[in-house]
Amino acid sequence: MTGTVEASHRQLSGWGRTAPTRARVDRPVDAASIAGAFRTQTGGVIARGLGRSYGDAAQCSGGLTIEASGFSDIGKLDDSSGTIDVGGGVSLHDLMRHIIPSGWFVAVTPGTRYVSIGGAIAADVHGKNHHRDGSFANHVVELTLVTPTGTFTVSQDADPELFWATAGGMGLTGVVISATLRLIPIETSWIRVDSQRFARLDDLMSTMEDSDHRYRYSVAWLDCLGHRDGNHRSVLTRGDHAPSGAIPDRLRSRSREVPGDPRVRVPRSAPGRLVNRLSVRALNEAWFRSSSRSVGSLHPLSGFFHPLDGVGDWNLLYGPAGFVQYQFAVPATRGDVVAEAVGAIASSGIPSFLAVLKRFGPGTPGPLSFSQEGWTLALDFPLGPPGLPALLDDLDELVAHAGGRVYLAKDARLRPELLPVMYPRLPDFAAVRRRVDPVGVLASDLSRRLGIPG
Amino acid sequence: MNDAFGHPQSVIVLGGTSEIAREVVTLLAADRCRTVVLAGRDPVSLEVTATELRQSVARVEVVLFDAAATGDVDPTITRCFEIAGEAVDLVMVAVGELGAQETDEADPDRIAQMVTVNFTWPAAALSAVGAHLTRQGHGRMVVLSSVAGHRVRRSNYLYGSAKAGLDSFARGLGESLRGTGVTVHVVRPGFVRTKMTAGRSPAPFAVGPERVASDIVRGLEHGQEVIWTPGILKWVFSTLGCLPRALWRRLPG
């Protein structure tokens, strides 16, 4: 095989650090090497970007994991069309540092910049602007995918079935080696933010329904533990890219500042578990008190979109046992499920540090793509409480029966029987898989655990 | 595959008629377990256990072997993995025989057999299972040890010494597998009320197999490498282990 620069065996897990498995890890730098690996590998092959999916999506026990970092080219920015060609292993962090000085920004960014382009497509990630701009794949002009049956460049017009199966397909249609992205123009790297506090969940949700459309970005943080009065407090932050006229003179020299690297890093030897019921309660209190009502305050992009990226390896704060993320989406008419889920979590007494609520606009045609029009709630749970597995199983039932689904990029524990209920177009996905991977070379721990057909 | 909570989807039980193993599988079936291979000596009682487990587990298969014969360990383990037909997430080693100390201790053949069934066969099997799981890239081995092996006593040193050997072997194997995705979990129960102990007067802190099983499943959720059950025995035996021998000898039981 040409082009493979290193091959070794490593134990891998997702960002939640649960269920590690061991696989051979290769870092190919050309399509031919990947094609060669597909021909010779018998124990399954899956691509891995920056390892930020929370569960077992980017690992393949006993098989081969292809690190995408060899595909790291950033092409020339086309100023007339606002598009750029990027390698599948390029991180959004590097891409942003490249394009922001020229007045461009990615159309969709998730809550971290440390995801690869290939990973962003495979999970069809969303950001705080989903209610008006959709998910990542909506802004992919075309992508080049190495599959076991060949290398294909596909778009929403050229082989849309393969394009949309790849968007949200968790890497199970092949390895994305490059993509052309449509960017958005920005005047500054600052966000003008309005924030509001709410004492009651229903007030928050009706405010979001009434006025989210006035902002490009909108997200709410909830206190899931519940306040003394039995209500769930929340802070809604919404904003837009600040025009250059909104930048005061003192910030003039920093008007197109690029995001930097993490300033602090959690040491590997961090004590036991720093996230617990007490610390969550204290953090929630501090956050709520510090976010008073404000209008038009300026925030740098990184602080607004990626607050946790300032701390390297923040997942270590959850201790050696790790944590699970639980994110679900339900139709717009089933906002009651959000309230019911928050109530169930509060009465379980199991602390969730991050509880983030936002509204989704229409979903994409991707059969495994997560987003669907309505509400989405994301939660973090440290492993340990005895009732946690059953609590999440109960939430699954609630979500599935409301016509909703959980986000596979975050899943590490869904009951396999619920997958076809949550993703009714699974047969469409399987048909594309059989076309590009008839022998079934592509596999991940996620696909095996959930029995994703192919 | 194991999920984030260490709940397996497929399990092999070596010593398939063990009541503790049956209770463990029943608990795992309530989570994600859907395939179980039961391996053991007696086809009739294996089939009884299999029938019972089929109430909650989608697929239960049976494999026959005899732990008194060490010649076919490798083919037996290979057969179990073949029949499972998918990645095996958990292998439970529940092979063992309590024996009858008073009569066995004077019979060299019985001593050899007790050591074979309680130590030699399980150790060889663990090693074979470790090789399969390492190739697979993940998996957990649960080994039923005993507090009887922690500090042996006059009254059951035959069983106790064999379990002590197995306990040490399993922990050593666990060390050798670090970084492979494969882990070994040693279970140290006290007196468990089962058919194996029927007719014996229970020792202090005696529990039923259901309690042992739930301690094992909780221990697996937390990735514990040594699981004492009931948990208090960890402290009891840490203390008893320090007693002068003259005093230890005079303890009842």
Side-chain angles (χ1 to χ4, degrees), chain A residues 219-454:
Chain A
V219 71
W221 157 89
L222 300 180
D223 177 357
C224 263
L225 286 180
H227 196 50
R228 281 181 296 275
D229 58 10
N231 282 311
H232 294 277
R233 300 172 299 177
S234 55
V235 178
L236 176 61
T237 49
R238 301 187 286 189
D240 288 287
H241 290 282
S244 47
I247 304 297
D249 286 343
R250 66 188 166 82
L251 293 177
R252 216 23 77 196
S253 63
R254 296 170 56 198
S255 74
R256 285 189 189 168
E257 195 174 55
V258 298
D261 291 317
R263 265 177 242 150
V264 289
R265 195 159 279 282
V266 178
R268 285 269 149 196
S269 56
R273 168 142 67 79
L274 297 172
V275 179
N276 55 44
R277 203 179 155 76
L278 278 177
S279 66
V280 170
R281 195 173 278 286
L283 280 166
N284 279 346
E285 195 65 39
W287 194 327
F288 189 75
R289 283 172 191 272
S290 68
S291 7
S292 55
R293 185 185 174 84
S294 67
V295 175
S297 61
L298 287 175
H299 293 251
L301 284 175
S302 54
F304 182 74
F305 290 113
H306 319 115
L308 292 171
D309 282 349
V311 182
D313 296 329
W314 61 262
N315 57 339
L316 296 178
L317 291 174
Y318 282 95
F323 69 105
V324 288
Q325 261 259 340
Y326 187 77
Q327 182 169 1
F328 69 81
V330 285
T333 52
R334 297 307 307 270
D336 59 304
V337 172
V338 173
E340 197 173 336
V342 168
I345 294 159
S347 56
S348 76
I350 297 174
S352 172
F353 168 47
L354 270 182
V356 174
L357 179 68
K358 73 163 273 87
R359 283 175 62 242
F360 273 157
T364 71
L368 277 198
S369 184
F370 168 62
S371 48
Q372 60 176 138
E373 188 154 15
W375 296 95
T376 182
L377 181 67
L379 306 145
D380 264 11
F381 295 100
L383 252 63
L388 181 58
L391 171 70
L392 298 183
D393 282 355
D394 291 348
L395 293 180
D396 285 344
E397 297 289 338
L398 190 65
V399 168
H401 288 115
R405 54 183 54 161
V406 299
Y407 192 7
L408 297 182
K410 298 189 169 179
D411 180 59
R413 31 72 44 208
L414 178 67
R415 188 181 288 281
E417 292 79 0
L418 285 177
L419 184 73
V421 182
M422 293 179 167
Y423 290 92
R425 292 182 50 221
L426 205 55
D428 298 347
F429 183 71
V432 175
R433 283 248 286 165
R434 281 193 298 274
R435 167 154 70 93
V436 297
D437 182 19
V439 192
V441 181
L442 290 158
S444 63
D445 289 359
L446 175 91
S447 76
R448 289 167 175 165
R449 180 170 54 80
L450 295 180
I452 296 176

Side-chain angles (χ1 to χ4, degrees), chain A residues 153-168:
Chain A
T153 297
V154 297
S155 69
Q156 302 184 28
D157 303 312
D159 200 346
E161 290 79 18
L162 182 53
F163 178 89
W164 285 116
T166 302

Side-chain angles (χ1 to χ4, degrees), chain B:
Chain B
M1 299 303 307
N2 285 306
D3 73 3
F5 302 113
H7 296 151
Q9 292 179 312
S10 65
V11 175
I12 293 173
V13 180
L14 302 172
T17 53
S18 150
E19 285 165 74
I20 293 174
R22 187 190 62 201
E23 295 299 328
V24 168
V25 171
T26 304
L27 288 179
L28 295 176
D31 287 308
R32 302 289 184 265
C33 182
R34 57 177 188 217
T35 303
V36 175
V37 177
L38 295 178
R41 186 180 44 143
D42 176 9
V44 177
S45 25
L46 276 176
E47 203 44 57
V48 170
T49 308
T51 306
E52 198 175 313
L53 289 177
R54 284 188 188 109
Q55 310 278 329
S56 53
V57 181
R59 190 162 77 89
V60 182
E61 306 284 352
V62 166
V63 169
L64 294 179
F65 78 95
D66 183 0
T70 53
D72 61 349
V73 176
D74 215 29
T76 299
I77 301 304
T78 302
R79 175 120 187 79
C80 291
F81 275 83
E82 280 170 4
I83 287 198
E86 57 181 301
V88 174
D89 304 319
L90 183 76
V91 177
M92 192 160 174
V93 180
V95 177
E97 183 192 352
L98 199 50
Q101 175 76 34
E102 308 80 52
T103 49
D104 289 346
E105 65 184 44
D107 180 347
D109 288 345
R110 273 298 294 156
I111 289 173
Q113 195 181 19
M114 282 290 285
V115 173
T116 302
V117 171
N118 286 306
F119 180 28
T120 313
W121 197 93
L126 278 173
S127 160
V129 167
H132 277 274
L133 296 182
T134 301
R135 268 197 297 283
Q136 191 184 274
H138 78 283
R140 297 170 141 198
M141 289 183 262
V142 174
V143 185
L144 288 192
S145 175
S146 169
V147 296
H150 191 66
R151 187 175 183 182
V152 293
R153 294 177 59 84
R154 168 69 187 89
S155 57
N156 65 349
Y157 69 83
L158 186 42
Y159 176 75
S161 63
K163 283 293 190 190
L166 181 62
D167 191 297
S168 297
F169 181 91
R171 279 178 302 133
L173 181 66
E175 286 300 317
S176 81
L177 292 172
R178 281 183 78 83
T180 63
V182 182
T183 53
V184 181
H185 307 264
V186 172
V187 183
R188 293 183 184 153
F191 188 98
V192 188
R193 293 186 212 94
T194 62
K195 61 180 186 294
M196 190 165 95
T197 60
R200 293 165 199 259
S201 53
F205 308 110
V207 290
E210 307 80 12
R211 168 64 192 273
V212 175
S214 71
D215 284 349
I216 291 173
V217 172
R218 283 290 291 155
L220 286 173
E221 284 177 0
H222 287 89
Q224 278 177 27
E225 293 186 349
V226 176
I227 302 166
W228 295 84
T229 168
I232 189 172
L233 290 182
K234 178 181 181 179
W235 310 110
V236 172
F237 276 83
S238 308
T239 314
L240 292 181
C242 304
L243 284 185
R245 218 178 324 163
L247 207 54
W248 171 248
R249 194 177 290 139
R250 286 161 61 183
L251 285 182

